[in-house]
Amino acid sequence: MEKRGYWKTRLGFYLAAIGSAVGLGNLWRFPYILSENGGGAFVVLYLLFALTVGLPLLVGELILGRTFRQGVVLSTESLQPIPIFGTRRWLSLKWVGRLSFLLSVVVLSYYAVISGWVLHFMTQFFFAIFSSTRTTFDPSLDPLLTSGWMQMLLASVHILVTLVVVLKGVQDGIERWVGAMMPVFAVLLVSLVIKSLSLPSSGEALRFLFYPNFSQLSLSSFSHAIGHVLFTLSVGFGTMVTFGSYLKDSDAIASSGFRVTIVDTLLSFTAGLLIFPIALGAGSVELGATRTDPGLLFETLPRFLMSLPGGAFFGLAFFVCLYLSALGASLGLMEVIVSNALDWSKKKKWKVQRLEVVWTLGGLILLLSAIPAFSSVIFRASKNSKGFLEWLDAILINGCLPLVGLGLSLAFSHGLSEMEKKRQFIDENKIETQALFPYWRWALKYFVPMVIIVSLILQILNSI
Ligand code: PFF
């Protein structure tokens, strides 16, 4: 039976956590929900919720993982149940862990399909560099959206790459690979941002991103911001519980959570700086009417890149960057699924190896990915209507994920003893953790549940 892994170095943990947080959420989802919710004002909401909702929950997940040294499913089973007010009954917190696990399986199945799109564009740009006539490549999602098999094929390549890395375990798999990918990702991203900011539309883009016009927000912007914060920080899927379970007792949890949040948020802004000058420069878009569907990244942007001198190189660099980020995030999701299954089989005393679990779950996720892959062929009514995948994404991220966040805040506040929380949160060498502890506890007990409940009510009001 496999022994539980540990991070070899603290840097390894940071890189894996940041690699999991930074993904399609930053480069694909953030720009399009930002433009759907009016730009600068949404950035303010997003920042506010990242620090007051996302960060406390992220720290809570790391603490939960290190306390029980198990994934989210078994950790939440070990929590004390909560007495139900006015009755003699108790509420078990098991459902929170099971829902997070389910969410990671479903999200990975469509994340793999979108990562497959990225692979497609990556190869197209690669061939465009060598083709003599640049006009032969017209970047469009249509060939993919009209072929379920093509999407399945690309998704299976992506799942296979993910499985091969996860198979190697924590240190030789995720820690080493993400560590090697990150510098390449950073260099590519910075050079692309410099190129993008040199475009004439950059001034307009900066205004769109950083000038808040609160009248652009709608009632549903609150739950969109919370859902996106949780998604981008990989909170609510059990990822940070698993990553926390590999931490050493001497690692400082609160400052680790803070650093991951800051880096992820800065990367989202960097993605905005990269994408908006290009999207606005593409001509077909105006402020406030920027193309809002996911096609922003997969059509507007590659077309514009192809129209630039040397555009195929920039296109390739951009999609390699996007793919590396998608891979880092998929590794996080897959590691979570596998480690929860391994914990579960250990509890049941089943004699299974990591290898068997990895292949079985990989096969299951591949099967599930057929639903989003074929849905674009079956359900897509017209080019401008929202596809099934976007609906699924909206329901899961704007609805289910905040609900899991609510459950997690209950779990951390009422299911873990005060002493344990203090022991895990407060670091002797970091005096400020003592001062921060009561705020963290207060945020999880009152602020986070209240904000999530209000935002879900506003979302319901907005849709009736
Ligand atoms: N945070 C990733 C992103 O922004 O793309 C998505 C994600 C990765 C969610 C890993 C959950 C997870 F476990």
Side-chain angles (χ1 to χ4, degrees):
M1 192 148 308
E2 169 165 316
K3 261 181 64 196
R4 195 166 195 82
Y6 280 93
W7 302 111
K8 203 183 265 167
T9 62
R10 190 163 327 157
L11 181 70
F13 157 73
Y14 279 126
L15 290 178
I18 291 168
S20 149
V22 176
L24 295 171
N26 305 68
L27 290 148
W28 164 70
R29 208 172 181 279
F30 182 66
Y32 95 76
I33 64 155
L34 192 68
S35 39
E36 262 181 4
N37 287 280
F42 188 79
V43 170
V44 175
L45 265 194
Y46 168 82
L47 255 183
L48 190 78
F49 291 148
L51 293 173
T52 58
V53 176
L55 174 60
L57 285 173
L58 195 159
V59 171
E61 279 206 12
L62 291 173
I63 285 183
L64 189 67
R66 194 168 66 178
T67 304
F68 296 107
R69 298 254 173 242
Q70 273 167 338
V72 72
V73 175
L74 292 189
S75 292
T76 47
E77 279 191 8
S78 313
L79 292 170
Q80 303 154 12
I82 314 176
I84 304 177
F85 186 70
T87 66
R88 288 226 198 123
R89 305 183 48 179
W90 297 81
L91 175 69
S92 156
L93 293 161
K94 279 199 268 209
W95 65 273
V96 184
R98 293 183 181 177
L99 207 59
S100 317
F101 179 75
L102 203 67
L103 212 55
S104 48
V105 172
V106 179
V107 167
L108 183 55
S109 70
Y110 78 80
Y111 209 87
V113 172
I114 304 171
S115 306
W117 298 356
V118 180
L119 271 178
H120 167 80
F121 280 96
M122 214 168 91
T123 44
Q124 295 288 318
F125 272 110
F126 180 78
F127 288 120
I129 292 176
F130 297 105
S131 114
S132 48
T133 49
R134 255 202 287 139
T135 43
T136 49
F137 170 43
D138 176 28
S140 161
L141 269 176
D142 281 345
L144 291 175
L145 296 182
T146 49
S147 167
W149 287 112
M150 180 76 172
Q151 291 187 76
M152 276 297 283
L153 180 75
L154 291 161
S156 44
V157 173
H158 177 71
I159 291 176
L160 199 69
V161 175
T162 313
L163 291 181
V164 169
V165 178
V166 169
L167 206 55
K168 294 181 181 289
V170 194
Q171 290 187 356
D172 289 334
I174 194 164
E175 187 167 349
R176 178 182 291 177
W177 276 73
V178 178
M181 274 160 29
M182 275 292 188
V184 183
F185 173 77
V187 171
L188 286 177
L189 193 67
V190 170
S191 38
L192 284 164
V193 170
I194 294 172
K195 171 81 193 160
S196 182
L197 286 178
S198 68
L199 295 172
S201 49
S202 61
E204 215 183 341
L206 287 177
R207 222 179 100 81
F208 177 68
L209 263 172
F210 297 115
Y211 179 76
N213 176 358
F214 290 97
S215 63
Q216 297 272 354
L217 292 177
S218 70
L219 288 182
S220 56
S221 299
F222 295 86
S223 65
H224 287 190
I226 292 182
H228 186 73
V229 159
L230 298 185
F231 181 73
T232 188
L233 291 178
S234 308
V235 167
F237 299 85
T239 318
M240 295 299 166
V241 179
T242 295
F243 285 7
S245 74
Y246 301 148
L247 277 174
K248 302 201 177 85
D249 282 332
S250 54
D251 290 331
I253 281 195
S255 52
S256 306
F258 183 70
R259 287 191 194 129
V260 173
T261 307
I262 295 296
V263 174
D264 183 70
T265 307
L266 286 178
L267 267 153
S268 284
F269 289 159
T270 314
L273 292 180
L274 162 65
I275 285 157
F276 284 107
I278 297 180
L280 294 166
S284 59
V285 279
E286 287 168 28
L287 278 183
T290 310
R291 186 157 180 201
T292 57
D293 63 297
L296 179 67
L297 197 67
F298 290 104
E299 285 186 349
T300 313
L301 194 118
R303 266 191 202 140
F304 182 71
L305 287 174
M306 276 311 275
S307 71
L308 296 175
F313 279 105
F314 283 109
L316 181 63
F318 178 75
F319 280 95
V320 169
C321 211
L322 196 57
Y323 188 69
L324 290 179
S325 74
L327 185 60
S330 307
L331 289 174
L333 278 166
M334 190 63 96
E335 178 65 36
V336 148
I337 297 169
V338 167
S339 84
N340 271 291
L342 278 170
D343 290 343
W344 182 263
S345 55
K346 208 183 257 176
K347 181 184 164 194
K348 294 275 170 204
K349 300 208 166 43
W350 294 334
K351 287 208 166 45
V352 285
Q353 298 294 326
R354 192 175 180 92
L355 185 91
E356 294 151 347
V357 172
V358 167
W359 289 118
T360 313
L361 289 170
L364 177 81
I365 287 160
L366 183 61
L367 271 182
L368 272 180
S369 68
I371 302 173
F374 283 93
S375 68
S376 62
V377 185
I378 301 165
F379 294 113
R380 202 165 174 98
S382 77
K383 198 161 173 10
N384 292 324
S385 69
K386 260 200 164 135
F388 173 82
L389 202 142
E390 290 103 85
W391 281 113
L392 183 70
D393 178 76
I395 293 169
L396 293 178
I397 310 302
N398 304 334
C400 299
L401 194 53
L403 264 184
V404 173
L406 182 64
L408 284 173
S409 67
L410 276 180
F412 305 143
S413 309
H414 304 280
L416 265 181
S417 75
E418 244 3 65
M419 217 176 65
E420 189 57 46
K421 273 186 285 205
K422 240 189 192 150
R423 195 174 76 81
Q424 298 280 358
F425 190 96
I426 296 176
D427 182 5
E428 310 280 272
N429 303 319
K430 293 204 165 64
I431 196 82
E432 65 279 12
T433 51
Q434 236 165 50
L436 284 172
F437 180 69
Y439 292 103
W440 173 70
R441 213 180 33 180
W442 179 85
L444 284 180
K445 197 161 180 182
Y446 302 107
F447 186 76
V448 173
M450 187 197 75
V451 172
I452 294 182
I453 292 173
V454 170
S455 75
L456 288 175
I457 293 176
L458 291 178
Q459 158 100 346
I460 294 169
L461 288 179
N462 192 53
S463 44
I464 44 183

